[in-house]
């Protein structure tokens, strides 16, 4: 069996402080894998600049001029991390790669784990997912919200392993299947489990960032979570229906009690505080239900317009 052609996809946004170090580290990994004959000589690193406003793209262009093993593309504007990963995987498919690995630009994910990914690939796995051993580098808030996200996704039926990230290897078969999906807001962590491809898992340790700060904030993570929920589960809509049915029963019971009190207890006085609390309670439930439905309608609205996932400004081949 000939060594596979590998593409290492690196999404990046405003990473001027660490992008050169990242390129050097990944080049070392490629050189090591070449020496061990685990990949072919036309393997490469593919940076996807997600509309950075610093010197990230200038550094990538300079690295490309020095080393043709480094390729990449730049978005016209910021489209988001998931779109950047998708662009890199689609490029790997265009370049006829046998497999592709996506990894964050800060290299907190251990780049040497790629060798273990390739070992699993050689055993016939379509997808090899990286699982964090721990979250020591995260704050308590991020640990808590991440755990809640995975628990919620699994409750809703997405079946995503805890501490799974976008650090994974996918083979040619998976790349071809991915190319068949035209969703504009494809949730990659859910996609690879929904398709049913043969999947393996590899644990890795998380490192401290080389430089700079993470570009993922609470807003980004909340958007990712909502996208994942609305893309791969209709359970929230069913819960809304169940909640509506339950509230109907509750309202019927309360109405019956009120009528009985009026008939049998003529002097019964309603407590306006209780009325206010019930009004706020039911009003809050209605707004929550409308918001849940609105999220799904919003997803439909964004998908039916059929706009491109991203727009490439420049590509280095």
């Amino acid at each position: 069996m000939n060594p596979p052609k590998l593409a290492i996809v690196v999404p990046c946004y405003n990473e001027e402080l660490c992008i050169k170090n990242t390129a050097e580290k990944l080049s070392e990994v490629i050189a090591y894998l070449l020496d061990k004959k685990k990949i072919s000589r036309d393997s490469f690193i593919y940076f996807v600049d997600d509309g950075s406003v610093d010197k990230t793209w200038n550094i990538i262009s300079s690295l490309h001029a020095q080393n043709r093993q480094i390729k990449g593309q730049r978005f016209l504007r910021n489209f988001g991390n998931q779109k950047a990963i998708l662009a890199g995987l689609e490029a790997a498919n265009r370049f006829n790669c046998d497999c592709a690995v996506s990894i964050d630009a800060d290299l907190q994910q251990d780049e040497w784990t790629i060798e273990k990914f390739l070992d699993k690939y050689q055993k016939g796995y379509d997808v090899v997912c990286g699982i964090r051993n721990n979250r020591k580098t995260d704050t308590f808030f991020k640990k808590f919200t991440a755990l809640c996200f995975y628990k919620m996704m699994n409750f809703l039926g997405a079946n995503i392993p805890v501490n799974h990230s976008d650090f994974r290897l996918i083979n040619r078969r998976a790349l071809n299947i991915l190319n068949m999906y035209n969703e504009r807001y494809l949730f990659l962590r859910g996609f690879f489990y929904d398709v049913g491809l043969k999947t393996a898992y590899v644990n890795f340790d998380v490192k401290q960032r080389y430089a700079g700060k993470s570009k993922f904030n609470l807003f980004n993570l909340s958007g990712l979570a909502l996208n994942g929920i609305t893309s791969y589960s209709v359970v929230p809509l069913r819960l809304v229906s169940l909640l509506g049915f339950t509230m109907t029963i509750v309202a019927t019971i309360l109405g019956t009690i009120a009528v009985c009190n009026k008939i049998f207890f003529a002097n019964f006085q309603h407590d306006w505080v209780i009325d206010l609390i019930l009004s706020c309670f039911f009003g809050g439930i209605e707004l929550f239900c409308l918001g849940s439905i609105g999220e799904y309608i919003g997803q439909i609205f964004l998908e039916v317009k059929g706009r491109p996932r991203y727009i490439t400004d420049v590509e280095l081949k």
Side-chain angles (χ1 to χ4, degrees):
M1 184 176 180
N2 294 326
K5 181 179 179 180
L6 169 70
I8 302 179
V9 175
V10 188
C12 46
Y13 176 69
N14 291 344
E15 296 286 3
E16 63 178 2
L17 296 178
C18 67
I19 203 70
K20 187 175 180 180
N21 177 73
T22 298
E24 291 174 354
K25 294 290 186 182
L26 292 177
S27 294
E28 289 176 10
V29 172
I30 284 186
Y32 170 79
L33 295 173
L34 283 171
D35 286 341
K36 296 193 74 174
K37 297 182 179 180
K38 290 194 172 185
I39 58 175
S40 65
R41 295 207 167 271
D42 51 355
S43 300
F44 57 90
I45 303 165
Y46 195 89
F47 288 100
V48 182
D49 183 358
D50 188 19
S52 298
V53 294
D54 62 3
K55 297 179 181 178
T56 298
W57 182 249
N58 292 336
I59 297 172
I60 293 171
S61 299
S62 176
L63 292 169
H64 170 72
Q66 299 168 21
N67 182 1
R68 293 292 173 172
Q69 208 172 52
I70 295 175
K71 308 178 189 298
Q73 66 174 290
R74 181 186 184 186
F75 287 172
L76 203 57
R77 65 168 177 83
N78 180 251
F79 284 90
N81 176 265
Q82 293 287 287
K83 306 288 183 60
I85 296 173
L86 270 169
L89 296 178
E90 288 173 348
N93 200 28
R94 289 197 308 273
F95 291 132
N96 295 316
C97 292
D98 297 302
C99 55
V101 171
S102 57
I103 187 170
D104 290 345
D106 56 23
L107 287 191
Q108 283 193 275
Q109 300 149 333
D110 184 9
E111 65 274 14
W112 294 103
T113 306
I114 293 175
E115 182 181 12
K116 296 180 181 178
F117 284 3
L118 288 167
D119 291 339
K120 294 289 186 181
Y121 162 82
Q122 294 289 359
K123 292 180 180 179
Y125 288 96
D126 300 308
V127 180
V128 185
C129 296
I131 306 293
R132 299 171 61 142
N133 283 323
N134 56 62
R135 308 190 72 94
K136 291 181 180 179
T137 58
D138 291 343
T139 62
F140 172 79
F141 178 75
K142 192 170 182 180
K143 290 177 184 176
F144 176 75
T145 53
L147 180 62
C148 289
F149 167 73
Y150 287 112
K151 293 292 185 183
M152 180 181 295
M153 291 302 298
N154 289 331
F155 170 73
L156 296 176
N159 297 320
I160 301 175
V162 176
N163 291 334
H164 170 47
S165 66
D166 285 314
F167 183 34
R168 68 174 72 84
L169 176 147
I170 65 175
N171 67 2
R172 174 74 66 83
R173 182 186 181 197
L175 286 170
N176 289 333
I177 293 174
L178 179 62
N179 202 44
M180 297 165 57
Y181 280 65
N182 296 317
E183 293 175 40
R184 298 298 179 268
Y185 292 86
L186 187 62
F187 181 59
L188 289 173
R189 298 187 194 187
F191 164 78
F192 291 109
Y193 291 97
D194 181 62
V195 173
L197 294 167
K198 188 177 180 182
T199 304
Y201 303 95
V202 173
N203 290 79
F204 67 93
D205 292 320
V206 179
K207 302 179 294 182
Q208 293 289 344
R209 281 181 64 96
Y210 173 76
K213 296 181 179 179
S214 174
K215 306 307 181 294
F216 266 100
N217 52 37
L218 181 60
F219 178 79
N220 300 133
L221 293 172
S222 299
L224 182 64
L226 283 173
N227 181 44
I229 291 169
T230 54
S231 293
Y232 282 93
S233 178
V234 294
V235 172
L237 291 178
R238 291 172 181 167
L239 290 176
V240 166
S241 300
L242 179 62
L243 191 59
F245 178 72
T246 304
M247 289 302 102
T248 300
I249 294 175
V250 171
T252 301
I253 294 172
L254 291 176
T256 303
I257 293 173
V259 170
C260 291
N261 281 328
K262 185 67 175 178
I263 295 173
F264 299 107
F265 303 97
N267 296 323
F268 176 78
Q269 299 293 323
H270 289 289
D271 189 338
W272 67 271
V273 175
I274 295 176
D275 290 342
L276 179 62
I277 292 172
L278 288 175
S279 296
C280 292
F281 175 70
F282 287 114
I285 289 177
E286 288 178 2
L287 289 174
F288 170 76
C289 294
L290 285 173
S292 299
I293 296 169
E295 284 293 330
Y296 282 90
I297 294 174
Q299 278 282 60
I300 295 170
F301 172 71
L302 293 171
E303 289 292 340
V304 298
K305 287 189 291 186
R307 295 179 178 177
R309 287 172 172 167
Y310 54 86
I311 301 173
T312 302
D313 184 23
V314 184
E315 184 171 19
L316 305 173
K317 299 181 180 180

